[in-house]
Amino acid sequence: SQVIGNVAASGRYEVIEERLSLSFDDSFGQVRRDPTAAVTPSNRENVNYFMAGPDLRLPLGELTQFTLGGRYSIISYEESPLDSTRTQGSVGLTRSLSRETDVGLRATMEDVRFDEDSVGSQYDRYEYVVRYNTRALARTDLLLEVGYNVVEQEEQETDGVVARLNLNRRITRASSVRLGVTRELSSSGD
């Protein structure tokens, strides 16, 4: 009598080719209400995470690119009072080392607001990363990001290391294997 499953959808529209694009992502699935209890029908609820926004890419010479992005997100839980909206902005600088490899810097600010005041304080999250991206490995793409993030909640501040490693290995033209490892400060919506 319940809908069980996951849906992940994403899309991107190039308003101005290789300069301005609009993106959307939507993820629907189930989460446990109590993460310490077993997964049962009474301890499961649907959650939907929708995100959309623009990306602007401006060349600064032949090898360097300035990026500016924004996202607006809505996270909706079936029953839990964790519904929230997020507004995010990012700015970055990327330098091509070759056709297949680039390095960059990115700063991101995210404003998180819960619909219910009883959930707790609203907070802001700041992230600063250095990234290395290469497609030079045979049929393998590698993205490595290392940095620092800060969460400001009322008069408290929490900080920590950010580390992301994403590997994508193409097995055939139609299939690939992906591995992702992340360490960062996050929320239940993430």
Side-chain angles (χ1 to χ4, degrees):
S1 65
Q2 288 185 312
V3 174
I4 305 296
N6 296 305
V7 174
S10 62
R12 190 168 110 186
Y13 175 70
E14 294 280 333
V15 178
I16 302 172
E17 190 173 342
E18 296 188 26
R19 295 289 180 262
L20 178 63
S21 62
L22 297 174
S23 300
F24 83 89
D25 294 284
D26 191 68
S27 176
F28 172 81
Q30 287 76 40
V31 295
R32 288 188 277 182
R33 283 192 203 126
D34 179 356
T36 62
V39 177
T40 62
S42 62
N43 190 32
R44 185 175 51 224
E45 71 178 307
N46 294 327
V47 63
N48 193 70
Y49 190 143
F50 177 78
M51 178 172 35
D55 288 306
L56 177 65
R57 295 172 298 281
L58 299 173
L60 301 175
E62 288 186 27
L63 302 175
T64 306
Q65 188 174 68
F66 174 78
T67 58
L68 191 61
R71 295 290 182 273
Y72 182 75
S73 307
I74 300 170
I75 302 174
S76 303
Y77 286 80
E78 182 179 20
E79 294 180 23
S80 296
L82 299 174
D83 294 355
S84 63
T85 57
R86 298 170 181 223
T87 307
Q88 182 185 83
S90 65
V91 62
L93 196 60
T94 303
R95 175 92 174 164
S96 294
L97 302 178
S98 70
R99 278 184 180 224
E100 296 85 17
T101 304
D102 58 69
V103 294
L105 302 169
R106 187 182 70 242
T108 304
M109 185 277 182
E110 182 177 46
D111 177 60
V112 179
R113 300 290 171 223
F114 289 96
D115 294 353
E116 303 257 342
D117 288 333
S118 63
V119 170
S121 299
Q122 319 314 328
Y123 64 90
D124 295 324
R125 182 169 41 184
Y126 302 89
E127 179 179 283
Y128 311 96
V129 296
V130 176
R131 65 190 303 266
Y132 174 80
N133 187 31
T134 186
R135 296 157 301 283
L137 308 171
R139 298 185 311 177
T140 303
D141 299 339
L142 168 82
L143 172 64
L144 176 63
E145 292 184 329
V146 178
Y148 187 71
N149 62 3
V150 177
V151 173
E152 292 179 354
Q153 186 174 22
E154 291 181 357
E155 295 182 18
Q156 292 183 326
E157 188 175 290
T158 305
D159 56 12
V161 172
V162 174
R164 293 185 190 94
L165 173 64
N166 292 317
L167 290 168
N168 184 33
R169 174 78 173 176
R170 288 175 300 286
I171 306 301
T172 67
R173 286 185 184 211
S175 65
S176 62
V177 175
R178 294 182 185 175
L179 171 68
V181 178
T182 301
R183 183 197 188 290
E184 65 184 350
L185 297 172
S186 63
S187 68
S188 62
D190 295 329

